[in-house]
Amino acid sequence: MWPGDVLKVGAAGLRTRPTRALLSALGIAIGIAAMVAVVGITSSSRAELDRTLASLGTNLLTVAPGTTFTGAQAELPLQAEAMVGRIAPVQVVSAIGMVGQAKVYRTGKIPPVQTNGLAAYAARTNLLTAIGGQVASGAWLNDATGAYPATVLGALAAERLGIGRAGPEVQVLIGGRWFTVIGILRPAALAPELDTAALVGWTAAERELGFDGHATTVYTRSRASQVEAVRAVLGATANPQAPNEVEVSRPSDALAAKQAADAAFTGLLLGLGAVALLVGGVGVANTMVISVLERRGEIGLRRSLGATRGQVRTQFLTESLLLSALGGLAGAALGAVVTAGYALPAGLPVVVPGWAVAGGLAATLAIGSLAGLYPAIRASRLSPTEALAAR
C-alpha cells in the first residue's frame, strides 16, 4: 500500500472508536505534558537566573567575620575596608555593619520580642554600586542624609513593617530613636541579608545608635578575570593577624548551587513523568489488543480479499503510532501552556526547549511502536477462516 493509504486505513480504526482513542491518548498526553512542563519550568527559572547573574555580575565577593578558635564570634578590623581596597584588581569596596542590639519597629507600642526578624545596619553610601541594588521607592543614602536620622528599608523589611512607599512623613523606630524612611530597596539577589535590614548612614549609626564602626560584611567588585586571584588573598588582606577568622564567599556561587539543587529535583520530576508515560503506553497496548479482538471479522475480510500479513501488521502498527502521536502532540502543547502559565505571572521568560518537545514526541512514537507491536503481530497471524468464523 502507498503511505497515504496506510495512514487512511490506520486512522479508520481511531475514527470508529473516538472515545476509546481519546482516553488512550490521554495517558500519553499526561506523561508528555508532565515532562515538557517540568523541563520548561526549570529552563525558564534557569534563564531568569542566568539573566540575573548577567545583569548583576559574578564578580562580587564578600568578607565576613567567622569564629575564633574558642568558638566566639570574630570581628573584622576597623581598617578592613581600606586594606581590601589596596588589592589592585578590586574596583569597588563597600560595607555594612550590624548596629548592636538595635531593633526596628513600626511604632513604640510593638512588644519588644516581636522583632519580625529585622535588624539595623550602618551602610556606606556606595553600597548599591557594589551589590547591584536598586531603589524601588524614594532615594538612597548620600553624604548628607547619611549623617542624619534617615533610613532605607530592605524589600522584606518594608513589607513586614507595612510600609508601601518612602516619604518624609513615614518614620520607624530604630534602637529607640525615630528615623525617617527616605527609601525602599528592591529585593537584592546577591545580598539577601539586606532584604530584612533597615540601613542607616555610617555617621548617623555612630552618632545616634552607638555603632562601634566594625564592618560585619565587606562587599568587593573585582575585574572578572581576577576574581579567583582576589578571592585567594581577600581573607588575609582583610584581617592579616587572623586570616582564619575570616569567611570569604561569592554570592553567585549560592545561586549556582540553588540551580544545581533545582536540576536534581527536575530529574525526580522527569522520572515521575516517565512513569506516567509508561502507564500511557500500557493503556495504548491494552486498547490495541482489545481492538484486535473486536475487529477479527474485519481482519478476516481483509485477508480474504488479498491483504498480506505484513499489510495487516502495518495497519495496526500505524494505528498505534497515530494514537500515540495524537497524545504526544496534545501533551507537548499542554506542557507548553503549563510552562507559560507558571512563568508569565512570575515574571520569568517562557522557555520551552525544542529538544524537550522533540524528545517527548520521539518517546511517544517509540512507546507507540512497542505498544502496538504485539497486537499488530497477533492480528497478522490470524488466518482468514478463523477470523471470519469469529465474526
Side-chain angles (χ1 to χ4, degrees):
M1 291 190 295
W2 294 98
D5 295 329
V6 173
L7 290 177
K8 289 180 181 179
V9 173
L14 301 183
R15 289 196 302 268
T16 56
R17 299 169 179 81
T19 303
R20 181 183 297 172
L22 179 62
L23 293 176
S24 299
L26 184 60
I28 296 286
I30 291 175
I32 293 298
M35 298 178 73
V36 171
V38 167
V39 174
I41 291 173
T42 303
S43 298
S44 298
S45 299
R46 186 175 295 115
E48 174 64 17
L49 177 58
D50 292 341
R51 187 170 66 180
T52 299
L53 290 179
S55 63
L56 298 178
T58 58
N59 62 337
L60 176 65
L61 296 173
T62 65
V63 179
T67 56
T68 64
F69 283 117
T70 61
Q73 181 66 44
E75 192 175 63
L76 292 177
L78 291 173
Q79 302 80 16
E81 289 177 76
M83 292 187 291
V84 169
R86 296 193 187 104
I87 303 175
V90 171
Q91 298 171 319
V92 181
V93 179
S94 190
I96 60 172
M98 180 173 285
V99 184
Q101 300 299 316
K103 301 302 179 183
V104 185
Y105 301 96
R106 187 67 175 89
T107 70
K109 299 181 180 180
I110 305 297
V113 295
Q114 295 182 10
T115 63
N116 273 325
L118 307 182
Y121 289 87
R124 297 296 188 186
T125 55
N126 66 340
L127 178 63
L128 292 192
T129 302
I131 67 168
Q134 294 180 328
V135 176
S137 173
W140 175 243
L141 298 166
N142 54 39
D143 292 337
T145 55
Y148 293 94
T151 182
V152 175
L153 301 178
L156 283 177
E159 180 181 332
R160 292 175 184 177
L161 292 172
I163 299 175
R165 61 179 180 85
E169 73 284 356
V170 183
Q171 293 187 322
V172 293
L173 199 61
I174 302 177
R177 302 292 301 272
W178 289 103
F179 280 70
T180 300
V181 179
I182 64 170
I184 297 175
L185 298 180
R186 296 185 186 276
L190 295 183
E193 62 274 11
L194 301 183
D195 291 342
T196 55
L199 303 164
V200 301
W202 209 271
T203 302
E206 292 175 331
R207 180 189 304 161
E208 305 288 340
L209 301 174
F211 175 52
D212 60 8
H214 288 273
T216 51
T217 304
V218 177
Y219 303 92
T220 70
R221 289 277 186 179
S222 308
R223 288 200 297 269
S225 60
Q226 299 294 319
V227 172
E228 292 304 326
V230 172
R231 189 176 189 175
V233 301
L234 202 51
T237 304
N239 192 352
Q241 295 182 344
N244 58 296
E245 296 178 0
V246 178
E247 294 181 354
V248 178
S249 64
R250 190 175 183 178
S252 59
D253 288 346
L255 295 179
K258 180 179 180 298
Q259 188 179 74
D262 289 343
F265 187 61
T266 298
L268 174 62
L269 294 179
L270 285 177
L272 295 176
V275 171
L277 190 59
L278 180 61
V279 171
V282 172
V284 170
N286 182 58
T287 297
M288 295 308 301
V289 169
I290 295 175
S291 180
V292 169
L293 294 176
E294 291 181 345
R295 296 161 63 188
R296 294 176 71 182
E298 175 192 335
I299 295 170
L301 182 59
R302 291 199 64 221
R303 293 280 283 120
S304 65
L305 292 176
T308 65
R309 289 187 174 183
Q311 290 173 335
V312 172
R313 186 164 52 246
T314 301
Q315 172 192 347
F316 282 90
L317 190 58
T318 300
E319 186 174 330
S320 176
L321 287 172
L322 288 174
L323 186 59
S324 299
L326 178 64
L329 291 172
L334 180 59
V337 170
V338 171
T339 300
Y342 173 86
L344 291 177
L348 304 178
V350 180
V351 179
V352 181
W355 64 264
V357 176
L361 294 178
T364 61
L365 295 179
I367 287 179
S369 299
L370 294 175
L373 187 60
Y374 170 72
I377 293 175
R378 181 171 179 177
S380 66
R381 288 180 177 175
L382 289 174
S383 66
T385 54
E386 179 187 354
L388 288 172
R391 189 173 181 179

